[in-house]
Amino acid sequence: MDQNLRQKPGHSDPGQGAPAAGPGRKDLVALLVMAYGTPQSLDQVEPYYTHIRHGRPPTPELLQELIDRYKAIGGKSPLHEITEEQARQVAAVVAERLGRPVEAFVGYLHIAPFIAEAVERLVAARPQEAVGLVLAPQYSAASVALYHRAAQEALARHPGAPAVHFIDHFHNHPGFIAALARRVERALAELPAALREDAVVIFTAHSIPQPVVDRGDPYPRHVEETAAKVAAAAGLSRWRVAYQSAGRTADPWLGPDVTEVIRQLPGEGARAVVVCPAGFVADHLEVLYDLDIEARQVAEEVGLVFARTPSLNADADFIEVLADLVLDRLGATRHEAAASGARPEGPQVG
């Protein structure tokens, strides 16, 4: 455990699920870090998939298809390890800026440790303040709201739980935009010089059901705003927004799909495409398979050179963004953060 996160003598480690002794850590800041989750082995794919399907087991065909996708990227996604490292590093940066102990509690939406389990460990630590952070930049009732609801329902089962201040989104945070712009510029620079001028950058995000959008969900607006700001920062003249990884339900899902857009590009004079997964913050199946394998294959079929921007993962520039978000949401401790060198600008949070 990072030195900034160590427990004081006489207290057990809440990260291991043991209750804290005594009156609790009056100076402790808790971070409830939430992510989608991923199987850690192929034998976990079926219960994971069943949980995603609200308790309905997948057909043998659907299950095998998902298992084959995991096999295609090496047998498992790195999402779990990346998420844990993101949480650890954000806690360390926030602790350094505040001069106070910070503990991260990681919970997943669809696999253990679930969000409710993370909340239980957080409550046992008895922190003075707590912030809830979903590792998703753009807000939707079909994504971020589900994490918040799971956390709030778990908190309601603990009468002594601290108030948790939730971060709604960070789709337009200046540091987030700058981090993506740097990666777009790097990906374009790595293309053969003759292909750069007419290359098209496609910003992608996970699709959501169209009925959610029809009810006024802000998600597509957030995605468009992220893309437009990154395009402006990177000085792009040719860029598009597309969606990916749509679910298989009776309802239509938000489009256009990234593969459809890629197929259109040769007719628009493009010879290369750079895909920037602006709706994702880590390497996982939807990036490593849906983009690196499927989208790349479509690009090659239509004669395009394909490139993808590196994921943010636990890179230092992204960790700084997440730390800014946490410090901003704490609010009352903003002056402490400023005194410790935190940047003055803050994200828009709900």
Side-chain angles (χ1 to χ4, degrees), residues 123-159:
V123 171
R126 300 180 184 178
Q128 183 183 51
E129 299 180 274
V131 174
L133 171 64
V134 178
L135 293 171
Q138 298 87 13
Y139 179 88
S140 174
S143 61
V144 174
L146 300 181
Y147 296 83
H148 288 181
R149 187 179 310 138
Q152 289 162 346
E153 289 175 352
L155 287 164
R157 294 193 289 270
H158 297 278

Side-chain angles (χ1 to χ4, degrees), residues 209-327:
Q210 186 63 43
V212 177
V213 178
D214 295 341
R215 291 193 289 270
D217 197 83
Y219 184 72
R221 173 173 58 83
H222 281 190
V223 174
E224 293 277 353
E225 289 176 0
T226 297
K229 287 180 178 293
V230 175
L236 303 181
S237 58
R238 305 191 70 187
W239 59 277
R240 305 274 294 275
V241 171
Y243 295 88
Q244 60 170 94
S245 314
R248 297 179 178 181
T249 67
D251 291 320
W253 284 57
L254 179 62
D257 186 82
V258 61
T259 58
E260 297 173 7
V261 175
I262 289 174
R263 292 185 188 280
Q264 297 168 1
L265 296 184
E268 301 174 6
R271 292 185 293 163
V273 59
V274 173
V275 177
C276 175
F280 305 102
V281 300
D283 285 325
H284 61 309
L285 190 69
E286 282 79 357
V287 172
L288 301 177
Y289 186 89
D290 294 2
L291 294 181
D292 287 358
I293 295 178
E294 282 194 338
R296 181 185 296 273
Q297 181 178 347
V298 171
E300 292 173 352
E301 288 174 359
V302 299
L304 293 174
V305 172
F306 178 93
R308 174 179 65 82
T309 57
S311 295
L312 298 168
N313 293 330
D315 290 354
D317 56 352
F318 182 53
I319 296 301
E320 289 293 321
V321 170
L322 297 180
D324 280 350
L325 290 162
V326 172
L327 291 164

Side-chain angles (χ1 to χ4, degrees), residues 40-348:
Q40 290 295 285
S41 61
L42 293 179
D43 60 4
Q44 291 183 356
V45 173
E46 184 171 12
Y48 168 75
Y49 203 176
T50 298
H51 193 276
I52 291 173
R53 290 165 53 86
H54 307 288
R56 295 178 293 108
T59 65
E61 294 76 18
L62 287 176
L63 177 60
Q64 189 59 51
E65 180 181 352
L66 185 57
I67 289 175
D68 289 343
R69 290 181 175 225
Y70 279 109
K71 287 181 177 178
I73 65 168
K76 60 173 287 190
S77 161
L79 181 63
H80 178 86
E81 289 79 9
I82 293 170
T83 301
E84 297 287 333
E85 182 65 12
Q86 288 171 328
R88 187 193 69 79
Q89 291 198 27
V90 173
V93 171
V94 173
E96 181 179 5
R97 290 193 189 177
L98 288 179
R100 296 168 57 187
V102 178
E103 180 76 23
F105 302 86
V106 179
Y108 300 102
L109 192 61
H110 291 299
I111 203 162
F114 289 98
I115 291 171
E117 298 173 73
V119 167
E120 185 172 351
R121 297 195 304 274
L122 183 153
V123 171
R126 300 180 184 178
Q128 183 183 51
E129 299 180 274
V131 174
L133 171 64
V134 178
L135 293 171
Q138 298 87 13
Y139 179 88
S140 174
S143 61
V144 174
L146 300 181
Y147 296 83
H148 288 181
R149 187 179 310 138
Q152 289 162 346
E153 289 175 352
L155 287 164
R157 294 193 289 270
H158 297 278
V164 177
H165 307 288
F166 291 94
I167 296 166
D168 279 349
H169 62 86
F170 52 94
H171 76 283
N172 57 0
H173 186 285
F176 175 64
I177 299 301
L180 291 182
R182 282 190 290 271
R183 286 158 178 77
V184 168
E185 292 167 346
R186 189 185 316 158
L188 286 169
E190 291 173 357
L191 289 175
L195 301 180
R196 290 175 202 155
E197 185 175 347
D198 60 9
V200 176
V201 176
I202 303 177
F203 297 97
T204 70
H206 202 297
S207 183
I208 63 172
Q210 186 63 43
V212 177
V213 178
D214 295 341
R215 291 193 289 270
D217 197 83
Y219 184 72
R221 173 173 58 83
H222 281 190
V223 174
E224 293 277 353
E225 289 176 0
T226 297
K229 287 180 178 293
V230 175
L236 303 181
S237 58
R238 305 191 70 187
W239 59 277
R240 305 274 294 275
V241 171
Y243 295 88
Q244 60 170 94
S245 314
R248 297 179 178 181
T249 67
D251 291 320
W253 284 57
L254 179 62
D257 186 82
V258 61
T259 58
E260 297 173 7
V261 175
I262 289 174
R263 292 185 188 280
Q264 297 168 1
L265 296 184
E268 301 174 6
R271 292 185 293 163
V273 59
V274 173
V275 177
C276 175
F280 305 102
V281 300
D283 285 325
H284 61 309
L285 190 69
E286 282 79 357
V287 172
L288 301 177
Y289 186 89
D290 294 2
L291 294 181
D292 287 358
I293 295 178
E294 282 194 338
R296 181 185 296 273
Q297 181 178 347
V298 171
E300 292 173 352
E301 288 174 359
V302 299
L304 293 174
V305 172
F306 178 93
R308 174 179 65 82
T309 57
S311 295
L312 298 168
N313 293 330
D315 290 354
D317 56 352
F318 182 53
I319 296 301
E320 289 293 321
V321 170
L322 297 180
D324 280 350
L325 290 162
V326 172
L327 291 164
D328 184 87
R329 202 66 186 97
L330 286 170
T333 58
R334 187 192 304 256
H335 64 285
E336 299 175 50
S340 300
R343 289 193 292 274
E345 73 270 11
Q348 294 182 6

